[in-house]
Amino acid sequence: MKCSDVIQLLNQQADESYACSWDNVGLLAGSRTKEVRKVYIALDATDEAVEEAISQNADLLLTHHPLIFQGMKRVTEDDFIGRRIIRMIRADMSYYAMHTNFDVMGMAQLAAKKIHLQDAKPLEATCTEDGKPQEAACTEDGRPQEAMCTGDGKVQGIGRVGSLEREMPLCECCELVKTAFGRTHVKVFGDLQKQVRRAAICPGAGKSDVQLALAAGADVYITGDIDHHTGIDAAASGMAIIDAGHYGIEHIFVPYMAQYLKEHAPQLEIAVQGRAEPFQIV
Protein backbone atom coordinates (compact mmCIF):
# COMPACT_ATOMS: atom_id res chain seq x y z
CA MET A 1 0.00 0.00 0.00
CA LYS A 2 1.08 3.57 -0.58
CA CYS A 3 2.75 5.51 2.21
CA SER A 4 -0.16 7.97 2.05
CA ASP A 5 -2.56 5.09 2.79
CA VAL A 6 -0.53 4.05 5.82
CA ILE A 7 -0.55 7.66 7.00
CA GLN A 8 -4.32 7.74 6.65
CA LEU A 9 -4.55 4.68 8.92
CA LEU A 10 -2.23 6.27 11.46
CA ASN A 11 -4.34 9.41 11.46
CA GLN A 12 -7.42 7.36 12.19
CA GLN A 13 -5.75 6.36 15.43
CA ALA A 14 -4.24 9.75 16.32
CA ASP A 15 -4.84 12.53 13.84
CA GLU A 16 -1.94 14.93 13.34
CA SER A 17 -4.25 17.83 14.19
CA TYR A 18 -4.28 16.71 17.84
CA ALA A 19 -0.57 17.45 18.24
CA CYS A 20 0.54 20.49 20.21
CA SER A 21 1.34 23.53 18.09
CA TRP A 22 5.06 23.45 18.95
CA ASP A 23 5.41 19.78 18.00
CA ASN A 24 6.63 18.26 14.72
CA VAL A 25 4.62 15.20 13.75
CA GLY A 26 3.73 13.47 10.52
CA LEU A 27 5.84 12.49 7.51
CA LEU A 28 9.28 13.93 8.24
CA ALA A 29 11.26 12.30 5.44
CA GLY A 30 10.52 10.43 2.25
CA SER A 31 7.67 10.25 -0.25
CA ARG A 32 3.95 9.86 0.32
CA THR A 33 3.73 7.90 -2.93
CA LYS A 34 6.28 5.28 -1.89
CA GLU A 35 5.02 1.71 -1.87
CA VAL A 36 5.15 0.40 1.70
CA ARG A 37 5.36 -3.31 2.36
CA LYS A 38 7.20 -3.33 5.68
CA VAL A 39 7.01 -0.96 8.66
CA TYR A 40 9.59 -0.81 11.44
CA ILE A 41 8.41 0.67 14.76
CA ALA A 42 10.57 2.20 17.52
CA LEU A 43 10.18 4.83 20.21
CA ASP A 44 13.08 6.95 18.92
CA ALA A 45 14.86 7.24 15.59
CA THR A 46 18.25 6.41 17.07
CA ASP A 47 21.20 5.24 14.99
CA GLU A 48 20.43 1.69 16.10
CA ALA A 49 16.75 1.95 15.11
CA VAL A 50 17.53 3.48 11.71
CA GLU A 51 20.19 0.88 10.90
CA GLU A 52 18.04 -2.03 12.05
CA ALA A 53 15.09 -0.75 10.01
CA ILE A 54 17.29 -0.50 6.94
CA SER A 55 18.84 -3.93 7.53
CA GLN A 56 15.33 -5.42 7.69
CA ASN A 57 14.40 -3.71 4.40
CA ALA A 58 11.69 -1.58 5.97
CA ASP A 59 9.97 0.91 3.70
CA LEU A 60 8.70 3.08 6.56
CA LEU A 61 10.16 3.89 9.97
CA LEU A 62 7.49 4.82 12.53
CA THR A 63 8.49 6.41 15.84
CA HIS A 64 6.86 8.23 18.73
CA HIS A 65 9.47 10.94 19.28
CA PRO A 66 10.31 13.02 16.18
CA LEU A 67 13.93 13.04 15.05
CA ILE A 68 13.43 16.47 13.47
CA PHE A 69 12.08 18.65 16.25
CA GLN A 70 13.36 22.19 15.84
CA GLY A 71 13.97 24.12 12.63
CA MET A 72 16.88 22.98 10.46
CA LYS A 73 18.75 25.23 8.06
CA ARG A 74 20.76 22.43 6.46
CA VAL A 75 20.78 18.65 6.18
CA THR A 76 24.37 17.41 6.14
CA GLU A 77 26.42 14.64 7.68
CA ASP A 78 27.98 17.15 10.08
CA ASP A 79 25.45 16.28 12.82
CA PHE A 80 23.62 13.15 13.95
CA ILE A 81 20.19 14.33 12.75
CA GLY A 82 21.44 15.08 9.26
CA ARG A 83 23.35 11.78 9.10
CA ARG A 84 20.25 9.79 10.02
CA ILE A 85 18.02 11.64 7.55
CA ILE A 86 20.53 11.15 4.73
CA ARG A 87 20.86 7.48 5.66
CA MET A 88 17.08 6.98 5.45
CA ILE A 89 16.75 8.84 2.16
CA ARG A 90 19.61 6.87 0.60
CA ALA A 91 17.86 3.67 1.68
CA ASP A 92 14.59 4.94 0.16
CA MET A 93 12.89 4.61 3.54
CA SER A 94 10.22 7.07 4.59
CA TYR A 95 9.97 8.31 8.17
CA TYR A 96 6.85 9.18 10.17
CA ALA A 97 6.46 10.38 13.78
CA MET A 98 3.42 10.31 16.09
CA HIS A 99 4.24 12.38 19.18
CA THR A 100 1.83 14.58 21.15
CA ASN A 101 -1.06 13.55 18.90
CA PHE A 102 -0.52 9.99 20.17
CA ASP A 103 0.02 11.28 23.72
CA VAL A 104 -3.47 12.77 23.54
CA MET A 105 -5.27 10.09 21.54
CA GLY A 106 -3.60 6.90 22.73
CA MET A 107 -0.73 6.96 25.21
CA ALA A 108 -2.58 8.39 28.21
CA GLN A 109 -5.51 5.98 28.15
CA LEU A 110 -3.26 3.03 27.35
CA ALA A 111 -1.03 3.80 30.35
CA ALA A 112 -4.07 4.23 32.61
CA LYS A 113 -5.38 0.81 31.59
CA LYS A 114 -2.00 -0.74 32.36
CA ILE A 115 -2.40 0.19 36.04
CA HIS A 116 -6.17 -0.50 36.03
CA LEU A 117 -7.05 3.12 36.77
CA GLN A 118 -10.75 3.50 37.48
CA ASP A 119 -12.94 6.40 36.25
CA ALA A 120 -9.92 7.87 34.47
CA LYS A 121 -10.24 11.39 33.08
CA PRO A 122 -7.67 13.60 31.34
CA LEU A 123 -5.19 15.15 33.72
CA GLU A 124 -4.78 18.03 31.28
CA ALA A 125 -7.41 18.27 28.57
CA THR A 126 -6.37 19.51 25.15
CA CYS A 127 -9.60 19.00 23.22
CA THR A 128 -13.05 20.48 23.33
CA GLU A 129 -16.02 18.27 24.09
CA ASP A 130 -16.62 17.53 20.42
CA GLY A 131 -13.10 16.18 20.07
CA LYS A 132 -11.60 19.15 18.22
CA PRO A 133 -8.13 20.25 19.29
CA GLN A 134 -7.96 23.56 21.14
CA GLU A 135 -5.72 25.94 19.23
CA ALA A 136 -2.51 27.12 20.91
CA ALA A 137 -3.24 24.99 23.94
CA CYS A 138 0.31 23.84 24.60
CA THR A 139 3.40 25.43 26.08
CA GLU A 140 6.90 24.96 24.71
CA ASP A 141 7.69 22.23 27.24
CA GLY A 142 4.97 20.06 25.81
CA ARG A 143 1.99 20.63 28.04
CA PRO A 144 -1.25 22.57 27.52
CA GLN A 145 -1.39 26.03 29.07
CA GLU A 146 -4.64 25.40 30.86
CA ALA A 147 -6.94 22.49 31.54
CA MET A 148 -10.29 22.38 29.79
CA CYS A 149 -11.70 19.16 31.24
CA THR A 150 -15.43 19.39 31.79
CA GLY A 151 -15.39 16.26 33.92
CA ASP A 152 -17.80 14.41 31.66
CA GLY A 153 -15.18 12.06 30.25
CA LYS A 154 -15.82 13.23 26.68
CA VAL A 155 -12.67 15.29 26.30
CA GLN A 156 -9.21 14.02 25.41
CA GLY A 157 -5.89 15.13 26.77
CA ILE A 158 -2.47 14.39 28.17
CA GLY A 159 -2.26 12.14 31.23
CA ARG A 160 -5.06 10.58 33.27
CA VAL A 161 -6.29 10.86 36.84
CA GLY A 162 -8.57 8.40 38.61
CA SER A 163 -8.59 5.75 41.31
CA LEU A 164 -6.56 2.61 41.74
CA GLU A 165 -8.58 -0.58 42.11
CA ARG A 166 -8.07 -0.40 45.87
CA GLU A 167 -6.14 1.51 48.47
CA MET A 168 -2.60 0.22 48.91
CA PRO A 169 0.75 1.22 50.42
CA LEU A 170 2.98 3.26 48.14
CA CYS A 171 5.50 0.40 48.06
CA GLU A 172 2.81 -1.90 46.64
CA CYS A 173 1.88 0.72 44.07
CA CYS A 174 5.53 0.76 43.01
CA GLU A 175 5.35 -2.98 42.38
CA LEU A 176 2.14 -2.46 40.39
CA VAL A 177 3.90 0.09 38.17
CA LYS A 178 6.97 -2.11 37.73
CA THR A 179 4.82 -5.05 36.67
CA ALA A 180 2.59 -2.97 34.38
CA PHE A 181 5.49 -1.45 32.44
CA GLY A 182 8.10 -4.16 32.73
CA ARG A 183 10.41 -2.17 34.99
CA THR A 184 13.11 -3.61 37.22
CA HIS A 185 13.20 -0.44 39.30
CA VAL A 186 11.49 2.91 39.81
CA LYS A 187 12.50 6.11 41.61
CA VAL A 188 10.17 7.08 44.45
CA PHE A 189 9.58 10.29 46.36
CA GLY A 190 7.45 9.82 49.48
CA ASP A 191 6.80 7.50 52.39
CA LEU A 192 6.69 3.92 51.10
CA GLN A 193 4.13 2.99 53.77
CA LYS A 194 1.76 5.82 52.88
CA GLN A 195 -1.66 4.59 51.73
CA VAL A 196 -2.54 5.69 48.18
CA ARG A 197 -5.76 5.35 46.17
CA ARG A 198 -6.23 8.37 43.90
CA ALA A 199 -3.56 8.31 41.20
CA ALA A 200 -2.46 10.43 38.25
CA ILE A 201 -0.30 9.13 35.42
CA CYS A 202 1.51 11.04 32.69
CA PRO A 203 3.77 9.03 30.36
CA GLY A 204 6.98 10.76 29.33
CA ALA A 205 8.22 13.90 31.06
CA GLY A 206 5.65 14.87 33.69
CA LYS A 207 7.33 17.66 35.65
CA SER A 208 5.10 20.39 34.23
CA ASP A 209 1.94 18.54 35.28
CA VAL A 210 2.84 18.10 38.95
CA GLN A 211 0.68 21.01 40.06
CA LEU A 212 -2.29 19.66 38.12
CA ALA A 213 -1.86 16.27 39.76
CA LEU A 214 -1.80 17.97 43.16
CA ALA A 215 -4.87 20.03 42.29
CA ALA A 216 -6.66 16.84 41.22
CA GLY A 217 -6.09 15.40 44.69
CA ALA A 218 -3.74 12.62 43.59
CA ASP A 219 -2.11 10.62 46.37
CA VAL A 220 0.51 9.41 43.90
CA TYR A 221 1.72 10.71 40.54
CA ILE A 222 3.27 8.21 38.10
CA THR A 223 5.45 9.71 35.39
CA GLY A 224 9.07 10.18 34.26
CA ASP A 225 11.96 12.66 34.26
CA ILE A 226 11.29 14.07 37.75
CA ASP A 227 14.19 16.06 39.19
CA HIS A 228 15.35 16.29 42.79
CA HIS A 229 13.56 19.48 43.86
CA THR A 230 10.31 18.69 42.06
CA GLY A 231 10.19 15.30 43.74
CA ILE A 232 10.88 16.43 47.29
CA ASP A 233 8.54 19.41 46.96
CA ALA A 234 5.70 17.18 45.75
CA ALA A 235 6.26 14.77 48.65
CA ALA A 236 6.29 17.70 51.08
CA SER A 237 2.96 18.78 49.59
CA GLY A 238 1.47 15.38 50.37
CA MET A 239 1.73 13.70 46.97
CA ALA A 240 4.11 10.82 46.33
CA ILE A 241 5.80 10.47 42.95
CA ILE A 242 6.78 7.25 41.19
CA ASP A 243 9.27 8.00 38.42
CA ALA A 244 9.27 5.01 36.09
CA GLY A 245 11.34 6.77 33.45
CA HIS A 246 10.53 8.52 30.19
CA TYR A 247 11.26 5.45 28.10
CA GLY A 248 10.08 3.26 30.94
CA ILE A 249 6.42 4.09 30.36
CA GLU A 250 6.33 5.27 26.76
CA HIS A 251 7.83 2.10 25.29
CA ILE A 252 4.22 0.83 25.27
CA PHE A 253 3.83 2.81 22.03
CA VAL A 254 5.78 0.16 20.11
CA PRO A 255 3.69 -2.98 20.74
CA TYR A 256 0.46 -0.98 20.66
CA MET A 257 1.11 0.47 17.20
CA ALA A 258 2.40 -2.88 15.94
CA GLN A 259 -0.89 -4.51 16.93
CA TYR A 260 -2.90 -1.61 15.50
CA LEU A 261 -1.26 -1.93 12.08
CA LYS A 262 -1.53 -5.72 12.09
CA GLU A 263 -5.28 -5.42 12.68
CA HIS A 264 -5.96 -2.60 10.22
CA ALA A 265 -3.41 -3.41 7.51
CA PRO A 266 -2.72 -7.16 7.62
CA GLN A 267 -0.99 -6.95 4.24
CA LEU A 268 1.87 -5.04 5.86
CA GLU A 269 4.84 -6.77 7.43
CA ILE A 270 5.55 -5.29 10.87
CA ALA A 271 8.90 -5.31 12.67
CA VAL A 272 9.60 -3.72 16.04
CA GLN A 273 12.65 -2.66 17.96
CA GLY A 274 13.23 -4.68 21.12
CA ARG A 275 13.60 -3.00 24.48
CA ALA A 276 16.12 -0.20 24.00
CA GLU A 277 16.73 1.51 27.32
CA PRO A 278 18.56 4.79 26.58
CA PHE A 279 20.88 4.45 29.58
CA GLN A 280 22.29 1.86 31.97
CA ILE A 281 22.43 1.80 35.75
CA VAL A 282 25.73 0.38 36.94
Side-chain angles (χ1 to χ4, degrees), residues 10 15 37 54 67 71 75 113 163 182 219 225 248 251 254 258 270:
L10 297 176
D15 194 276
R37 296 179 178 83
I54 292 172
L67 173 61
V75 178
K113 288 181 178 179
S163 297
D219 301 314
D225 293 353
H251 69 82
V254 176
I270 308 298

Side-chain angles (χ1 to χ4, degrees), residues 179-219:
T179 299
F181 298 104
R183 308 299 296 151
T184 58
H185 63 275
V186 292
K187 182 169 67 175
V188 189
F189 295 91
D191 180 357
L192 288 175
Q193 300 309 312
K194 173 187 175 180
Q195 295 293 312
V196 297
R197 179 68 188 274
R198 187 159 175 80
I201 186 166
C202 181
K207 176 180 177 179
S208 59
D209 277 351
V210 166
Q211 291 303 315
L212 280 178
L214 280 165
D219 301 314

